[in-house]
Amino acid sequence: MTDAQIDEAFPITSRNRVKRLHERGSYDRGAVFAILDAGLLCHVAYVLDGQPYCTPTIHWREDDVLYWHGSSASRMLRHLRAGTPACLTVSHLDGLVLARSGFNHSANYRSAMCFGTARIIDDPEEKARALLGVVNRFYPDRAETLRQTSTQEAKATMVIGMRIEEASAKTRAKGVGDDEEDYGHPVWAGVIPVRAVIGAEEPCPRLLPGLSRPESLSAYREGARLDEALTQTQRLYEREPEHEH
Amino acid sequence: MTDAQIDEAFPITSRNRVKRLHERGSYDRGAVFAILDAGLLCHVAYVLDGQPYCTPTIHWREDDVLYWHGSSASRMLRHLRAGTPACLTVSHLDGLVLARSGFNHSANYRSAMCFGTARIIDDPEEKARALLGVVNRFYPDRAETLRQTSTQEAKATMVIGMRIEEASAKTRAKGVGDDEEDYGHPVWAGVIPVRAVIGAEEPCPRLLPGLSRPESLSAYREGARLDEALTQTQRLYEREPEHEH
């Protein structure tokens, strides 16, 4: 993908237009991708017989296609076969904002909402590439070091893909915003930052002797920010030869 | 609420039954509430003209009613007036699980999916209580120290409430689960823990001299886990006299 493509904006429609506090919104592809790539956990909304479901899952991205996993036993199977409208959202909580009035309390956050049609990836080549991608996107070059995926495992895994038709990013990243006349109110106000961080690795107790964590996982060192580690591994993934466009 | 009520389970229907890896599922009220209370950020799925939306927002809980905020300018207003089916999900990512096969890679997590009918809270007393709750639930006893909410602010804020009709909790909290024949495969395997933590406070630059952060915010000390701080403040909130049932 060229920089020109990344700089392009997603179309703005009634579906993705940021209605509330629109100064926080953006339709820029780069802004949306940055928020998606900084997260592993997403939430997908879909409708089944009129009932909305909000399902947490792991997502990964190839250009403007989002992928996630499902089970071949999923209740969504029938709808996904035909293609079903979905909305995939990734959010990061960055801080608690304590103001001098209840109304001005807020949170710092980054979120990206993506709209499109979710479909089962049936094409064997795209599915095989996606199953390598879900490993290598998070853990650089790891797939080739693993016990290889069996035909039965690939069959049991449903890969769902959704090309992003429309998207919006929304961000709040600032201090307390009080009404001018409230700054003299005698109460503590400020931001309490929040971040997701990596802890100390817990090697499998049945690890073969002499195996240590490979250098390729160095992004996930203890104390690192998860969003930075995930962004770094996505950039490495995009540099792999098979992902050049 | 008595312990007996907390121990009760939500009904199991086709809507909330955990279909996949059902050994990870629970319908216990206590298990669901623990996951909800450990989070501030939730995602709400709702349907508008057949299109699903997955909206990130802040939620809070009073017994089996979930609340969140909206703007009176929301695109959902018309539907919320009448009551609309919704699904509110809270998820915590606890770790990355790196196995010896791609298929057994996983994540440690806790998630709660709640189903019900979302409605605008019009009753002035319930709305006023909820607007105090959104402050005091996170920041013990803070509402009374703030500049009081104006009638105009209360009018501009839409409070949405949803009684949990059905819910399920799903948790994975363990090490690598490889196929027995794969443990000899020579690749590093293990869990990389992830946790959301509190950073160093950033006081408002316009803070009045002599004001420091009150003791009531001690749960949010630097380095504390966010999920533990939120659980602790919810427990304090439930102990307030007006919340005894």
Side-chain angles (χ1 to χ4, degrees):
Chain A
M1 185 179 289
T2 66
D3 283 352
Q5 282 175 303
I6 285 180
D7 286 344
E8 275 175 19
F10 287 105
I12 304 171
T13 72
S14 63
R15 191 163 63 166
N16 69 324
R17 186 185 301 278
V18 176
K19 295 279 172 63
R20 222 192 135 204
L21 300 172
H22 52 79
E23 74 282 4
R24 298 184 186 166
S26 163
Y27 307 94
D28 178 76
R29 289 166 66 96
V32 169
F33 290 170
I35 293 168
L36 294 173
D37 296 349
L40 168 135
L41 183 69
C42 71
H43 288 77
V44 184
Y46 58 87
V47 194
L48 198 59
D49 301 325
Q51 171 68 49
Y53 289 83
C54 184
T55 303
T57 191
I58 290 169
H59 72 100
W60 66 108
R61 182 179 72 81
E62 302 253 4
D63 292 350
D64 59 354
V65 179
L66 293 169
Y67 291 104
W68 64 96
H69 266 139
S71 154
S72 301
S74 162
R75 63 184 126 204
M76 279 297 293
L77 196 62
R78 177 168 51 98
H79 294 259
L80 288 167
R81 261 304 147 220
T84 192
C87 175
L88 185 151
T89 299
V90 173
S91 306
H92 308 279
L93 177 67
D94 293 326
L96 315 176
V97 181
L98 285 75
R100 294 166 180 85
S101 65
F103 192 74
N104 285 322
H105 274 63
S106 189
N108 281 337
Y109 63 91
R110 293 160 285 159
S111 69
M113 283 178 82
C114 301
F115 297 91
T117 302
R119 289 175 202 284
I120 297 178
I121 303 302
D122 275 327
D123 176 70
E125 201 182 310
E126 184 178 6
K127 182 169 178 178
R129 199 171 62 235
L131 288 178
L132 290 177
V134 64
V135 174
N136 285 338
R137 174 268 174 269
F138 296 110
Y139 313 118
D141 305 322
R142 183 169 174 85
E144 36 271 53
T145 68
L146 301 174
R147 191 267 291 153
Q148 294 306 290
T149 300
S150 71
T151 313
Q152 198 183 345
E153 287 174 335
K155 231 180 237 178
T157 308
M158 183 166 70
V159 176
I160 301 152
M162 181 181 90
R163 184 170 297 278
I164 306 173
E165 294 165 8
E166 291 155 31
S168 63
K170 213 169 159 186
T171 300
R172 187 191 192 280
K174 55 181 185 182
V176 175
D178 263 313
D179 295 358
E180 193 51 43
E181 58 271 28
D182 290 342
Y183 282 98
H185 187 82
V187 66
W188 187 87
V191 175
I192 299 177
V194 174
R195 55 177 177 275
V197 297
I198 306 290
E201 66 180 39
E202 298 164 0
C204 176
R206 294 179 64 179
L207 207 58
L208 288 186
L211 281 177
S212 61
R213 202 160 82 158
E215 189 52 36
S216 57
L217 295 177
S218 63
Y220 300 99
R221 70 188 181 284
E222 187 179 352
R225 289 179 62 123
L226 177 68
D227 55 359
E228 292 177 356
L230 291 171
T231 301
Q232 187 182 332
T233 48
Q234 174 74 14
R235 291 297 95 80
L236 289 170
Y237 180 59
E238 287 170 355
R239 267 183 230 143
E240 284 181 22
E242 67 264 36
H243 296 103
E244 283 178 3
H245 296 275
Chain B
M1 186 179 287
T2 65
D3 283 353
Q5 280 175 302
I6 285 179
D7 286 344
E8 274 175 19
F10 287 106
I12 303 171
T13 72
S14 63
R15 191 162 64 164
N16 69 324
R17 186 185 299 279
V18 175
K19 296 280 172 64
R20 220 191 136 203
L21 300 171
H22 52 79
E23 74 282 6
R24 296 183 188 168
S26 164
Y27 307 93
D28 178 75
R29 289 165 65 95
V32 169
F33 290 170
I35 293 168
L36 294 173
D37 295 350
L40 169 135
L41 184 70
C42 72
H43 288 78
V44 184
Y46 58 88
V47 194
L48 198 57
D49 301 326
Q51 171 69 50
Y53 290 83
C54 183
T55 302
T57 192
I58 291 169
H59 73 99
W60 68 108
R61 182 179 72 81
E62 302 253 5
D63 292 348
D64 59 354
V65 179
L66 293 168
Y67 292 103
W68 63 97
H69 266 139
S71 154
S72 301
S74 162
R75 63 183 126 207
M76 279 299 292
L77 196 61
R78 181 169 45 99
H79 294 259
L80 287 167
R81 260 306 145 221
T84 193
C87 175
L88 185 152
T89 299
V90 172
S91 307
H92 308 279
L93 177 66
D94 293 326
L96 315 176
V97 181
L98 286 76
R100 294 165 180 85
S101 65
F103 192 75
N104 285 323
H105 275 62
S106 189
N108 282 337
Y109 62 91
R110 290 160 286 159
S111 69
M113 284 177 83
C114 302
F115 297 91
T117 302
R119 289 178 202 283
I120 298 178
I121 303 302
D122 276 327
D123 176 68
E125 201 184 309
E126 184 177 5
K127 183 170 178 177
R129 200 173 58 234
L131 288 178
L132 290 177
V134 62
V135 173
N136 284 339
R137 175 264 173 271
F138 296 112
Y139 314 119
D141 304 321
R142 183 170 175 82
E144 36 270 55
T145 69
L146 301 173
R147 190 267 290 151
Q148 294 306 291
T149 300
S150 70
T151 313
Q152 199 182 344
E153 287 174 338
K155 231 181 238 177
T157 308
M158 184 166 69
V159 176
I160 301 151
M162 182 181 91
R163 185 170 296 277
I164 306 173
E165 293 165 8
E166 292 155 29
S168 63
K170 213 169 159 186
T171 299
R172 187 192 193 279
K174 55 180 185 182
V176 174
D178 264 313
D179 295 357
E180 193 50 43
E181 59 271 29
D182 290 342
Y183 282 97
H185 187 82
V187 66
W188 187 87
V191 175
I192 299 176
V194 174
R195 56 178 176 272
V197 297
I198 306 290
E201 66 180 38
E202 297 165 1
C204 176
R206 295 178 66 181
L207 206 57
L208 289 185
L211 281 177
S212 60
R213 203 161 80 158
E215 189 52 37
S216 57
L217 296 176
S218 63
Y220 301 100
R221 69 188 181 284
E222 187 178 353
R225 289 179 64 126
L226 177 67
D227 55 0
E228 291 176 357
L230 292 171
T231 300
Q232 188 182 331
T233 48
Q234 175 74 15
R235 290 298 95 81
L236 289 171
Y237 180 59
E238 287 169 356
R239 268 183 230 143
E240 285 182 22
E242 67 265 37
H243 296 103
E244 283 179 1
H245 297 275

